[in-house]
Amino acid sequence: MSSVNDQDSLRYEIMEWKEKRNAIILAHNYELPEIQDIADVLGDSLTLARAAAQTYADVIVFCGVHFMAETAAILNPDKTVLLPDIHAGCSLADSITLADLRNWKSAYPDAAVVSYINTSAEVKAESDYCCTSSNAIKVVESIPEEKEILFLPDMFLGAYVQRATGRKNMHIWMGECHVHAGISPADVDNVFRDYPDAELLIHPECGCSTSSMYLLSEGQLPKERTHLLSTGGMLERAKNSPSSQFIIATETGILHQMEKENPNKTFIAANRSAVCPFMKMITLPKVLESLKENQHVVSVSETIRQRARLPIDRMIAIG
């Protein structure tokens, strides 16, 4: 663990190198607090994709995981995209391969493929639409009702979208994020006992999301205090809600920003062990080294990039 003085020195040097390289630092809401605090743009996957598409910087330092840096590279073929730790992967993205998707498509040749942003560039290139948790419902609703849909790779997000849209002709890949899948209904129940008046904010990827939707429909969870939201949606709700206590069912990294923006409110993790080891791989020394040495460039072949660009553009346009 570096000291406060060490971190101050690292931050100062990072800012110097960022200026030298005309770089922008994008960071996901699940990153370490010190990484969140140096970001030019901090947000969920959709926010960061939009920022990557709009930036005038020459270098994009992506403090997130590999598929996010790939998305930035797809959107910016003339810019340098750096990932401070090349081993920062994603268990959800790894749950489906290009071969898997092609085999699945062969069984449903007329279906539209909707890929969650948490996928490889190759899988995106084989898709018709991309989506994030904040716009997945809108993306599915934009597709004609008679059209079959293959939704991948997260089964919990897929179940949430299917229930919200009422689509009967939607097939869902059985993948999961191991961190979110580990947040169980029992976790929520246990925390609710200690904070019965709190609002419950649930990420749709969570293992508790399907049961929570059922309990919500049965009136066993308070409708006015239970919300399924993206990480960006959670941050907005935390700021705008009159509630003073919130149970947060997602990766715990988001608590830093919530507490920073709302010092008079209390935020409780539904499961304190919901920590993504890949997100936590990015550190201040690695960001500095990446900038200084132009280290860990993430690129995508032009063939894949051109094909993957369309579903990503559709995702950004749908909003």
Side-chain angles (χ1 to χ4, degrees):
M1 181 74 69
S2 58
S3 69
V4 172
N5 287 340
D6 287 342
Q7 287 201 0
D8 285 345
S9 176
L10 283 166
R11 279 193 291 266
Y12 180 78
E13 202 169 350
I14 286 168
M15 293 306 123
E16 281 193 318
W17 276 96
K18 191 177 76 164
E19 188 173 349
K20 285 180 187 177
R21 291 290 176 87
N22 186 29
I24 186 172
I25 297 175
L26 308 182
H28 194 272
N29 293 319
Y30 297 156
E31 289 293 308
L32 291 168
E34 57 267 30
I35 297 298
Q36 295 186 38
D37 290 344
I38 63 164
D40 296 298
V41 181
L42 175 66
D44 59 14
S45 297
L46 184 58
T47 298
L48 298 178
R50 283 182 173 145
Q54 295 167 1
T55 186
Y56 291 102
D58 296 320
V59 176
I60 298 171
V61 182
F62 215 114
C63 298
V65 292
H66 194 270
F67 76 81
M68 297 178 181
E70 272 192 335
T71 303
I74 290 166
L75 293 167
N76 294 280
D78 299 325
K79 299 182 188 303
T80 300
V81 179
L82 303 175
L83 183 63
D85 192 319
I86 200 63
H87 300 296
C90 174
S91 62
L92 178 55
D94 290 343
S95 71
I96 187 165
T97 65
L98 176 60
D100 290 332
L101 177 53
R102 284 179 172 169
N103 286 337
W104 199 27
K105 285 176 68 174
S106 69
Y108 302 95
D110 297 322
V113 177
V114 178
S115 292
Y116 191 25
I117 193 76
N118 299 45
T119 47
S120 69
E122 287 184 332
V123 167
K124 289 181 176 71
E126 198 73 15
S127 305
D128 299 296
Y129 299 83
C130 285
C131 71
T132 69
S133 56
S134 60
N135 74 349
I137 291 172
K138 288 182 180 179
V139 169
V140 168
E141 287 177 339
S142 74
I143 299 169
E145 288 186 12
E146 67 276 7
K147 187 82 169 172
E148 280 193 299
I149 293 174
L150 302 183
F151 188 96
L152 62 98
D154 191 85
M155 61 183 176
F156 297 111
L157 178 61
Y160 163 68
V161 172
Q162 187 171 41
R163 189 179 184 104
T165 60
R167 292 294 285 253
K168 304 298 184 187
N169 56 352
M170 185 170 155
H171 308 279
I172 301 168
W173 187 259
M174 293 290 104
E176 64 179 31
C177 160
H178 73 284
V179 175
H180 280 103
I183 304 175
S184 69
D187 293 327
V188 173
D189 288 342
N190 290 336
V191 180
F192 243 140
R193 288 193 192 102
D194 294 330
Y195 300 90
D197 298 322
E199 281 199 26
L200 174 59
L201 309 185
I202 304 169
H203 194 285
E205 280 184 47
C206 288
C208 64
S209 62
T210 304
S211 64
S212 295
M213 284 188 292
Y214 172 76
L215 293 172
L216 196 57
S217 68
E218 293 294 307
Q220 295 182 46
L221 282 176
K223 187 173 184 180
E224 71 284 359
R225 291 190 285 118
T226 304
H227 307 277
L228 275 82
L229 299 164
S230 67
T231 54
M234 287 182 176
L235 287 163
E236 284 301 310
R237 180 67 192 175
K239 279 191 291 188
N240 298 327
S241 170
S243 297
S244 60
Q245 295 180 335
F246 299 83
I247 298 167
I248 308 300
T250 192
E251 208 273 353
T252 58
I254 199 172
L255 297 178
H256 172 66
Q257 195 66 13
M258 287 180 164
E259 291 166 349
K260 188 175 175 181
E261 293 179 347
N262 308 278
N264 298 319
K265 296 182 180 183
T266 302
F267 300 95
I268 311 100
N271 183 335
R272 295 186 183 279
S273 298
V275 177
C276 176
F278 298 113
M279 287 285 187
K280 304 310 189 250
M281 286 181 172
I282 309 298
T283 63
L284 291 176
K286 290 177 183 178
V287 172
L288 177 58
E289 192 71 11
S290 187
L291 274 167
K292 288 172 72 173
E293 304 298 331
N294 209 44
Q295 190 164 273
H296 304 314
V297 175
V298 174
S299 58
V300 178
S301 75
E302 186 61 17
T303 302
I304 295 294
R305 191 196 73 78
Q306 288 183 5
R307 293 179 60 210
R309 180 71 192 247
L310 177 59
I312 294 172
D313 282 345
R314 284 172 172 168
M315 173 190 76
I316 292 172
I318 290 170

